[in-house]
Amino acid sequence: MVMMWHLLWPSVLLGLFFNIFPACPLEIQTEKNHYYVARGSSVQLPCAYTHTVDSQQYTEVLWSIVSADRDEQPIIWFTGNRLYSDLYKPMEGRVHFTSANPQNGDASINIKDVRLSDMVMYRCAVKKLPELDQKDLDLTVMEAPSQPLCSVDKEDNSTTFKCRSLHGTPPLHYIWSKTSGNKVLPTQAIADPTGATLHWNITERECGSYRCTVESMVGTKHCDLHLDCSLPQPNIVSSPRLLTTTAVVAIVVTVTALFIVTLVIAVFLYRKRKQQSHDIEREI
């Protein structure tokens, strides 16, 4: 019980000081109050501050989680040049100050490996007596879009591109672009309300490579596809006249070759018989 009070008393004192003291020169600057982050990534919650009084007091920085009923759970605390970073078990080892010395004007923190349970309101409180200030920041954790799947359906001259990311916290936005040639998306291409399907009647100049990009507040992924418009080569059909001429030439060549072969054989046989007759006469 004593240990718990030792950890919580800075938060209690900060609350009392805010009620007692009016607006103070110490001021925390933040660009925005709501941050979006993809689950599993890291996020920086900013808490840069300035102060105008040259006080010898230590600067104390306390980050805490603020619940719906406004209760506070300290998560990291810097005071008296000492750091306490293990105040909240679920975030132990995942939350760190971005600066090695948070009392020099930068009390921002980094949260690593962000989980859905980290989607809460955070409070940065800075105190340098008699000055103090605090800011609340909302953190929304989202699922980044998964790698989209691309496909193309062609039927005659009609073409449909399809692109779908199966995982991701909505809203997801689909953006089509052409990545080859003139890199201009066909003007007649029509997308469905979600943008995930693109349809048009294709012409040859629209062939090439295309890209579908799906994006959300916490991530971007894309897939590429190629539209091939190569036409089949026409069959070469000879005309009847050309076919007849070719056939006649083939016949003439064949007949001529047979005639020559026959003539050669006949001459050979004639000479052989004549030689045989001559040999017989000589023997007689």
Side-chain angles (χ1 to χ4, degrees):
M1 187 68 180
V2 175
M3 183 62 181
M4 181 60 66
W5 170 252
H6 175 71
L7 296 177
L8 293 179
W9 75 265
S11 179
V12 175
L13 286 180
L14 284 173
L16 291 175
F17 276 115
F18 276 112
N19 292 327
I20 295 174
F21 290 97
C24 300
L26 189 149
E27 182 182 5
I28 297 175
Q29 300 94 24
T30 55
E31 297 180 358
K32 53 187 178 180
N33 297 325
H34 203 143
Y35 292 83
Y36 298 86
V37 63
R39 182 175 65 88
S41 63
S42 299
V43 63
Q44 177 177 314
L45 299 182
C47 185
Y49 63 92
T50 58
H51 58 83
T52 59
V53 177
D54 186 13
S55 171
Q56 298 300 317
Q57 296 288 334
Y58 286 114
T59 300
E60 294 190 24
V61 178
L62 177 67
W63 278 89
S64 55
I65 292 174
V66 183
S67 62
D69 55 7
R70 312 308 294 178
D71 287 339
E72 294 186 42
Q73 167 62 59
I75 58 175
I76 191 169
W77 179 32
F78 184 89
T79 181
N81 286 326
R82 295 188 63 181
L83 174 64
Y84 301 89
S85 58
D86 55 352
L87 305 181
Y88 185 48
K89 193 69 173 178
M91 301 187 74
E92 185 176 355
R94 296 193 297 118
V95 57
H96 306 277
F97 282 108
T98 59
S99 173
N101 189 2
Q103 67 180 355
N104 287 341
D106 184 8
S108 307
I109 59 171
N110 282 329
I111 303 176
K112 300 189 300 182
D113 188 23
V114 176
R115 304 167 185 175
L116 293 177
S117 58
D118 297 335
M119 188 164 53
V120 292
M121 178 185 290
Y122 294 85
R123 173 169 294 167
C124 175
V126 181
K127 178 182 69 172
K128 188 177 181 68
L129 293 180
E131 304 175 4
L132 45 93
D133 195 10
Q134 67 180 21
K135 283 292 186 294
D136 292 343
L137 305 175
D138 283 314
L139 181 64
T140 297
V141 182
M142 306 174 67
E143 189 78 27
S146 60
Q147 181 70 35
L149 303 176
C150 278
S151 63
V152 55
D153 294 337
K154 288 177 60 178
E155 184 175 353
D156 297 329
N157 289 332
S158 178
T159 301
T160 301
F161 284 172
K162 295 180 180 180
C163 177
R164 184 70 64 183
S165 185
L166 300 180
H167 302 286
T169 303
L172 299 180
H173 302 285
Y174 294 87
I175 302 172
W176 290 93
S177 60
K178 189 176 183 182
T179 57
S180 65
N182 57 13
K183 298 186 178 180
V184 177
L185 201 65
T187 55
Q188 70 272 26
I190 301 175
D192 68 358
T194 66
T197 302
L198 197 67
H199 179 81
W200 79 92
N201 291 330
I202 193 165
T203 61
E204 187 172 353
R205 67 176 179 273
E206 293 156 2
C207 302
S209 299
Y210 290 81
R211 171 168 294 181
C212 169
T213 302
V214 54
E215 59 182 29
S216 71
M217 300 183 69
V218 296
T220 300
K221 292 289 180 65
H222 71 266
C223 59
D224 297 314
L225 48 79
H226 185 76
L227 184 61
D228 187 5
C229 297
S230 58
L231 300 176
Q233 295 297 325
N235 294 326
I236 301 177
V237 180
S238 301
S239 64
R241 182 176 180 179
L242 180 60
L243 182 61
T244 302
T245 303
T246 303
V248 170
V249 171
I251 292 172
V252 170
V253 171
T254 302
V255 170
T256 302
L258 290 175
F259 174 77
I260 294 174
V261 171
T262 303
L263 181 61
V264 170
I265 294 174
V267 170
F268 173 77
L269 293 176
Y270 171 77
R271 289 182 176 180
K272 187 174 182 180
R273 287 180 180 179
K274 187 175 181 181
Q275 182 64 35
Q276 289 177 349
S277 299
H278 181 69
D279 293 342
I280 294 173
E281 291 175 356
R282 290 179 60 184
E283 291 178 357
I284 297 175

